[in-house]
Amino acid sequence: MNSRLAVYYSPLALRHDTGSGVFEAEPSALLAIAEPHPENAQRLENMLSILRKGPIGDRIDWHEAPSASLDALLRFHEPAYLESLRAIPEHESRRLTGTTVFGPGSFEAIRAAAGQAIGAVD
């Protein structure tokens, strides 16, 4: 039995800026402090640190999978949806839903995340 854990990770996943506000809602003039979205780069960095420094750190094999190709993304998403994301200018941020912010670095981050999932399955 293999007692090692394979973890697939890419630093490109940190490029996705999930925005701020209150919990998952958009910023408001009523807020004293706009909090970061709960799923943010700092949280991911903390999880990575726990894995590296924690009690199983010496039993982890780290792998960096390549970013998913457009063809791989098209297996799960409609072409029009992906094109709408790619059409967002790199310097802009847009709230796609009440809880989903898409901005600079987001497309690279989702390609990286998909590539990590594909790498883990392979």
Side-chain angles (χ1 to χ4, degrees), residues 11-95:
L12 291 174
L14 299 173
R15 297 216 45 225
H16 177 54
D17 181 356
T18 52
S20 60
V22 60
F23 299 107
E24 295 179 339
E26 60 187 86
S28 165
L30 302 175
L31 300 174
I33 299 168
E35 303 169 14
H37 188 286
E39 297 298 329
N40 59 63
Q42 291 81 15
R43 181 177 176 275
L44 179 56
E45 287 180 293
N46 280 334
M47 293 291 115
L48 292 167
S49 180
I50 290 167
L51 287 172
R52 287 186 179 114
K53 297 176 182 178
I56 65 167
D58 62 343
R59 294 191 310 266
I60 295 176
D61 293 324
W62 293 90
H63 304 275
E64 185 169 346
S67 294
S69 66
L70 186 56
D71 285 340
L73 296 178
L74 286 168
R75 292 179 185 167
F76 298 94
H77 298 288
E78 293 293 324
Y81 174 68
L82 292 177
E83 283 306 315
S84 72
L85 295 179
R86 292 176 71 190
I88 297 172
E90 178 62 27
H91 62 281
E92 286 186 21
S93 288
R94 293 196 188 160
R95 189 168 287 275

